Amino acid sequence: MARRSYLFTSESVSEGHPDKVCDRISDSIVDLFLAKDPVSRVACETLTTTNQIVLAGEVRCSKEVTHDEIEAAARAAVKDIGYEQEGFHWKTANFQNFLHEQSADIAMGVDASGNKDEGAGDQGIMFGYAVNETPELMPAPIILSHKILHKMAALRKSGARPEFEPDAKSQVTLRYEDGKPVAATSVVVSTQHRDGYTPADIKELVRPIVAEVLGDFGIPPEDEFYVNPTGKFVIGGPDGDAGLTGRKIIVDTYGGAAPHGGGAFSGKDPTKVDRSAAYAARYLAKNVVAAGLADKCLIQLAYAIGVSKPLSVYVDLYGTGEVDEVRIEKALREVMDLSPRGIREHLKLNRPVYARSAAYGHFGREPDAEGGFSWEKTDLVDALKSALGR
């Protein structure tokens, strides 16, 4: 039987965290290619360190994408994050580009030809999750962790809090009673800041932000409210710690409240099921919960490289379901084509909408007018109910 009373913790990192800088650059390159050609293939990895930006990976595009355009996209991403520091500056950092043409062997297995539909870009397992403990149908600790940093970034960029610099991390621990979050028991915020401020100064700047975000969960006791617990945090970002694409995958998803598949999202075009099928699984799980079919839903999808159909569809409702899991597994296949092509077409993923997803979570976000976060829609509720005769 599942525990009903416990503490659970999730963390987030800001857009200026070294790894998130890399995710943002990689996704900006994905957007650049998709804007040129919606069926581009991109697998872009980024490394950042002190005044260095390095790209590597494989690409394919029917239109020319120049080195200068790639460099401009990378620098624009860093500029938007806000790095204009001696050790890492959007304008002066050394830039190296080692992107090259996609392997013909991979292309042969993935591309559609003759009677063969487009196959998955790789093998792998992907998970989607939803739970009704927040309006976003996400676990509360990860949503709160994201919101603290998102609010801090907004205040920094507006000029209201010029004391903050781009690199930051947050961590929220909630107490659950009867399976529901009821109170914050500890909060950790570490934020890069301009020189000349004490830890106490920064704590008082962070306090009202945390209080606003936590709301009814309440700010934790003072001895459980940690802000820059190591003290001074002036040197940060890629100058303080090297960054790589795809190293914050639990931050990107459910904060550890649900399993994560075998691959990261950022830097990959939507033919890669690491990304698109994880989005589809979240979309389906969210619609199951939004339809009132369960309080909590986990979905696993599995694929083989070059094969169009999913090898398996697995649903776990954690004992909260109104309908048997086997029936829901069958209904999911009926309401959505879960081939790579079907997912992309249903969620309209061949658009340059990925840079916006690179920080503050890929899930629990509002769908936007340009097509970003389409996987957060709950437009399958009626179809699911109909397929289940409800």
Side-chain angles (χ1 to χ4, degrees):
M1 180 178 293
R3 291 176 61 189
R4 307 298 292 172
S5 299
Y6 52 91
L7 301 181
F8 193 82
T9 305
S10 294
E11 71 158 347
S12 180
V13 298
S14 73
E15 64 202 78
H17 184 280
D19 295 329
K20 279 289 146 201
V21 173
C22 294
D23 285 346
R24 173 65 178 276
I25 293 170
S26 291
D27 274 339
S28 295
I29 302 307
V30 172
D31 285 353
L32 172 65
F33 275 80
L34 291 178
K36 293 261 189 176
D37 175 8
V39 294
S40 293
R41 300 287 193 265
V42 183
C44 177
E45 309 294 341
T46 302
L47 161 71
T48 58
T49 187
T50 302
N51 275 327
Q52 298 286 335
I53 302 169
V54 182
L55 306 188
E58 302 78 45
V59 295
R60 188 177 76 190
C61 186
S62 65
K63 306 286 180 63
E64 182 184 12
V65 183
T66 68
H67 173 90
D68 287 348
E69 288 175 306
I70 292 169
E71 180 175 354
R75 293 193 186 279
V78 177
K79 182 179 182 181
D80 186 67
I81 291 168
Y83 275 112
E84 296 185 347
Q85 300 172 1
E86 182 179 352
F88 194 70
H89 196 297
W90 66 270
K91 192 173 185 179
T92 59
N94 183 49
F95 178 80
Q96 298 180 73
N97 174 19
F98 297 104
L99 293 171
H100 59 81
E101 285 294 313
Q102 182 190 52
S103 161
D105 290 349
I106 293 176
M108 179 178 63
V110 174
D111 291 349
S113 61
N115 293 325
K116 174 186 173 296
D117 195 8
E118 176 187 300
D122 202 351
Q123 71 175 49
I125 57 173
M126 298 84 207
F127 289 94
Y129 180 73
V131 60
N132 64 4
E133 65 188 44
T134 63
E136 298 89 351
L137 302 185
M138 286 283 288
I142 187 64
I143 282 290
L144 296 173
S145 297
H146 287 323
K147 287 182 176 179
I148 289 169
L149 296 183
H150 208 175
K151 178 71 172 175
M152 290 173 62
L155 291 171
R156 171 177 60 84
K157 289 183 170 184
S158 73
R161 277 288 166 258
E163 303 90 345
F164 296 155
E165 293 285 7
D167 192 358
K169 300 179 78 170
S170 65
Q171 186 170 283
V172 175
T173 301
L174 297 183
R175 186 175 80 252
Y176 282 70
E177 297 290 350
D178 197 29
K180 298 293 183 181
V182 297
T185 62
S186 68
V187 171
V188 183
V189 178
S190 295
T191 180
Q192 184 186 20
H193 59 87
R194 292 187 179 180
D195 206 359
Y197 295 91
T198 68
D201 294 333
I202 300 301
K203 188 171 189 177
E204 292 314 305
L205 295 176
V206 169
R207 186 187 302 276
I209 299 168
V210 171
E212 178 185 346
V213 169
L214 292 183
D216 292 343
F217 289 113
I219 202 162
E222 196 65 16
D223 63 350
E224 292 292 339
F225 179 35
Y226 305 93
V227 176
N228 285 7
T230 61
K232 186 177 180 180
F233 186 5
V234 173
I235 299 173
D239 187 30
D241 190 11
L244 290 170
T245 301
R247 287 206 302 195
K248 288 294 178 283
I249 59 177
I250 300 302
V251 170
D252 287 341
T253 56
Y254 309 104
H260 192 288
F265 303 156
S266 290
K268 298 174 182 177
D269 74 74
T271 66
K272 278 72 169 175
V273 284
D274 278 344
R275 179 168 224 159
S276 57
Y279 290 172
R282 160 64 179 173
Y283 174 64
L284 294 174
K286 186 175 184 181
N287 276 270
V288 167
V289 174
L293 301 172
D295 294 334
K296 187 185 298 188
C297 177
L298 175 73
I299 294 174
Q300 185 203 59
L301 304 175
Y303 292 85
I305 188 168
V307 179
S308 62
K309 65 180 180 66
L311 306 184
S312 64
V313 178
Y314 167 80
V315 173
D316 184 355
L317 303 179
Y318 300 89
T320 69
E322 299 292 325
V323 179
D324 180 74
E325 280 102 339
V326 174
R327 290 186 62 203
I328 290 183
E329 290 167 358
K330 182 174 182 293
L332 295 179
R333 289 180 180 267
E334 293 175 5
V335 300
M336 185 175 180
D337 177 359
L338 292 173
S339 69
R341 183 199 300 275
I343 291 170
R344 288 204 330 280
E345 291 179 351
H346 188 108
L347 296 177
K348 298 180 172 60
L349 296 180
N350 283 103
R351 294 184 283 190
V353 296
Y354 296 104
R356 68 198 70 178
S357 71
Y360 312 115
H362 291 246
F363 308 130
R365 309 283 291 275
E366 283 291 323
D368 59 45
E370 294 78 31
F373 305 104
S374 61
W375 50 93
E376 289 297 309
K377 293 181 179 180
T378 53
D379 54 2
L380 272 187
V381 165
D382 291 341
L384 270 171
K385 288 181 175 179
S386 177
L388 293 163
R390 296 178 70 82

